[in-house]
Amino acid sequence: MIAFLLRRVVSALPALVGVTLVAFFVLNLLPSDPVQVWSGGSALSAEAAGRLRSELGVDRGPAARYAAWAVALLRGDLGHSLRDGRPVAFVIGDALPWSLALNLCAILAIYGVAVPYGLVGASSPGSATDRAGGWALLLLYAVPPFAAALILQQWVAVGLGWLPLQGVSAEGASLPGRVWDLLRHLALPTLCLALSGWAIVARYSRAAFRSVLGREFLSVVRAKGLSRLRAHLRLAANTAVPFVTLLATIVPGLVGGSIIVEQVFSLPGVGRLYLAAVEARDYPVVLALTLLSAVLVLAGHLLVDLLYLLVDPRIRTALLPERTDAI
Amino acid sequence: MGGEPAAGIAGSALHPPGRAHLLGTDALGRDLLARLIHGARPSLLVGFGATAIALLVGFCAGAFAGLRGGLADLLIVRLVDVVACFPPLVLALAFVAATGRTGLWPMLLGVALSRWTSMARYVRGEILRHRGGDVWVSARAAGAGGGRLVLRHLLPLLAGPLLVMTSFGIAGAILLESGLSFLGFGVDPPTPSWGSILAESRATLDAAWWPVVFPAAALVLLLAALCAAAERAAGSETRGTPLV
């Protein structure tokens, strides 16, 4: 198991290096003078511009700058924010928990709704419910997260007053009270972030369930007296592999979507930090977060590979022969 | 009706939909219908333009990698894998930020940059699949070179699926464009775009519903139409396969 994990991590290293190259060069190799661009076109004094130039290392060639940046990166040094001078790692560390909480809620919401929907749709293909569901999903898929956010804010938060309009807090007399407050603030953002993922996973799960619903093993376990519910639960285990794969498909969309959702709902997460940094031309933060987004996606791929081991015994025996000997 | 999308009329701010303004006016008294119609321009331009660039670049890169093989193939595949790691919105934002300019062109290129990889992957895979097949061998026997083989004999085979990917791609590009415009990194004001109209409507969220609902509906209808068209073209066998 450890050996497999190590092999997998080592095989991801070239991609990791590639990701740093792309992030660095997209942000650096454009024809404009970076100091002018990143100082926002404001008239810097010659002295200040010179200082910024040497700090960014603009007077060196791009290859030398990349090398310096990569070496610092290996030491865990992401540089300092140009806005307040704090280390970039701290700035990101403050924002990361909010984004992780939001994305985790969204993933739970996506699978929690989409998988049962797929099972219901697949058990009665072509029925009115199934067809209506198909159209509803197509429509959901076409709703941009910010449009959904504005409409929900206007309707649920302003009109009905059920949920807070924006911001986030975890206040309350007791721990359950604090959790309740947090969940109330995260409800609308989670819903908006989950929309497009819902459409993708639900349609996929319907197709996956349909392809196994007619198989003999299902009739066999039913004939042997397993209830319909338990039979379907067993069935869900058989379709777990495509669902795991799908996780890798929806993660990039979630990371991008949280930028918009965090902005609309004023959540102090990484997405909002990214926008603020882009707006303020806070180059070290933008570079670090661009890199982080891709690293998160890479980590998602790794996680998916590990989940394969968990859900599919065939993959487990193929990859980890030593374990089957022991059992 | 106010014909000019940028021209506001004093004293007519936030008119509800009615005879004078079919869809009402925004906070500056500008006619919403006129702004919606003009706002379609950047959405469609970026949607179709960026997808055209992505298709061209992706096709060429994928075909080159598939035909050449060897080191070129390895490098292109690696590049595609790495670029595909970046969430599209992040890559487009980083590109727009790095050029230091907002406007149509940086946005168009930024969107194209984040969307060519899936095309390249698909074309390369199909070329490897057809390599050594009947079409391939007969065309080679008739003396066709690499370019002719791809353009004359393989492109027609790939046209259907590519069409499906293209219409999903246009929907994705329009989604990105409106997102960038919504965040303030799209076309420069006062040029309207559906995304920026929605962003402006945030200020009057508690007072007026029409500046929110109509541009949102326009976006949803356009995107749903593109997806429905793509789906129809794809037929039933790819139902449930996410292409975007």
Side-chain angles (χ1 to χ4, degrees):
Chain A
M1 183 73 190
I2 305 272
F4 168 77
L5 231 167
L6 274 179
R7 262 209 316 278
R8 187 59 188 73
V9 170
V10 167
S11 73
L13 281 182
L16 202 59
V17 173
V19 159
T20 63
L21 276 168
V22 169
F24 187 83
F25 284 100
V26 163
L27 286 173
N28 276 279
L29 268 197
L30 287 154
S32 45
D33 177 8
V35 169
Q36 208 178 359
V37 170
W38 292 107
S39 59
S42 60
L44 280 179
S45 68
E47 185 199 357
R51 209 170 45 232
L52 190 59
R53 272 206 174 79
S54 71
E55 195 171 309
L56 294 177
V58 181
D59 34 5
R60 287 172 290 168
R65 264 186 296 151
Y66 173 77
W69 176 66
V71 167
L73 197 64
L74 281 178
R75 289 203 315 263
D77 178 12
L78 290 167
H80 291 75
S81 163
L82 293 184
R83 275 189 301 169
D84 51 10
R86 291 170 64 211
V88 173
F90 288 1
V91 177
I92 294 177
D94 285 347
L96 202 56
W98 295 111
S99 296
L100 288 180
L102 177 63
N103 279 287
L104 199 65
C105 287
I107 289 176
L108 289 179
I110 288 172
Y111 279 90
V113 173
V115 173
Y117 163 85
L119 195 52
V120 170
S123 339
S124 55
S127 70
T129 353
D130 184 38
R131 290 163 63 101
W135 281 105
L137 284 180
L138 187 68
L139 217 55
L140 275 190
Y141 186 69
V143 179
F146 48 91
L150 288 183
I151 288 177
L152 283 174
Q153 277 187 330
Q154 188 161 55
W155 181 37
V156 181
V158 176
L160 299 171
W162 286 352
L163 289 167
L165 180 64
Q166 58 181 26
V168 69
S169 68
E171 283 158 13
S174 58
L175 184 66
R178 281 201 287 274
V179 170
W180 174 241
D181 190 43
L182 181 66
L183 287 180
R184 269 169 53 85
H185 280 92
L186 284 183
L188 286 184
T190 302
L191 189 63
C192 296
L193 194 55
L195 278 183
S196 64
W198 255 333
I200 295 175
V201 179
R203 315 184 73 192
Y204 201 95
S205 90
R206 182 183 170 283
F209 283 127
R210 263 205 85 175
S211 71
V212 281
L213 261 182
R215 296 276 192 81
E216 288 95 346
F217 64 78
L218 197 67
S219 319
V220 171
V221 290
R222 291 276 284 139
K224 288 175 86 175
L226 210 58
S227 74
R228 196 181 152 89
L229 181 68
R230 303 220 11 211
H232 277 173
L233 284 180
R234 300 290 298 166
L235 184 74
N238 265 295
T239 54
V241 171
F243 285 122
V244 169
T245 314
L246 220 48
L247 193 60
T249 313
I250 59 174
V251 163
L254 287 179
V255 174
S258 21
I259 294 182
I260 286 173
V261 168
E262 285 174 14
Q263 177 70 8
V264 181
F265 288 100
S266 304
L267 300 181
V270 175
R272 195 142 169 266
L273 177 67
Y274 188 68
L275 275 181
V278 166
E279 228 155 83
R281 302 180 193 283
D282 190 349
Y283 165 81
V285 177
V286 175
L287 183 56
L289 284 179
T290 306
L291 181 63
L292 179 69
S293 72
V295 170
L296 278 181
V297 173
L298 271 179
H301 290 317
L302 192 65
L303 181 71
V304 163
D305 277 2
L306 290 180
L307 284 176
Y308 278 148
L309 291 185
L310 202 70
V311 299
D312 194 332
R314 286 167 301 185
I315 298 179
R316 201 157 49 215
T317 43
L319 286 175
L320 308 168
E322 69 272 24
R323 250 187 79 162
T324 45
D325 292 343
I327 290 168
Chain B
M1 254 199 293
E4 274 300 304
I9 302 162
S12 63
L14 286 185
H15 252 289
R19 186 159 297 178
H21 301 283
L22 285 180
L23 300 184
T25 62
D26 68 4
L28 296 178
R30 297 174 296 194
D31 184 77
L32 197 59
L33 180 61
R35 282 181 74 71
L36 275 189
I37 293 170
H38 283 259
R41 204 178 284 169
S43 293
L44 294 178
L45 215 59
V46 172
F48 283 84
T51 311
I53 298 176
L55 185 63
L56 194 69
V57 173
F59 187 86
C60 292
F64 184 74
L67 278 179
R68 211 20 112 70
L71 186 65
D73 185 37
L74 185 76
L75 286 179
I76 290 178
V77 168
R78 279 287 149 116
L79 182 67
V80 166
D81 282 348
V82 163
V83 173
C85 277
F86 291 88
L89 186 62
V90 173
L91 200 56
L93 263 177
F95 185 85
V96 172
T99 53
R101 271 191 297 257
T102 51
L104 212 53
W105 273 104
M107 181 160 60
L108 209 136
L109 291 176
V111 172
L113 177 69
S114 58
R115 301 220 67 101
W116 65 278
T117 52
S118 53
M119 309 274 187
R121 242 181 216 160
Y122 174 74
V123 170
R124 175 182 173 273
E126 284 302 293
I127 284 185
L128 291 187
R129 200 164 69 87
H130 284 288
R131 196 169 198 150
D134 289 345
V135 175
W136 188 281
V137 171
S138 7
R140 270 276 191 244
R148 187 176 166 79
L149 192 69
V150 169
L151 293 179
R152 185 83 177 80
H153 299 286
L154 286 181
L155 191 55
L157 286 176
L158 309 187
L162 275 182
L163 186 70
V164 175
M165 289 184 82
T166 306
S167 21
F168 273 122
I170 293 171
I174 289 176
L175 196 62
L176 266 185
E177 184 278 332
S178 55
L180 285 173
S181 296
F182 178 81
L183 296 172
F185 294 94
V187 290
D188 299 308
T191 310
S193 148
W194 292 346
S196 64
I197 298 174
L198 274 172
E200 286 159 16
S201 76
R202 289 181 69 193
T204 54
L205 208 57
D206 48 351
W209 55 268
W210 52 96
V212 177
V213 170
F214 290 128
L219 261 175
V220 171
L221 283 180
L222 177 61
L223 294 175
L226 280 167
C227 292
E231 197 143 291
R232 204 34 83 77
S236 54
E237 73 270 61
T238 49
R239 221 178 123 82
T241 318
L243 282 169
V244 183

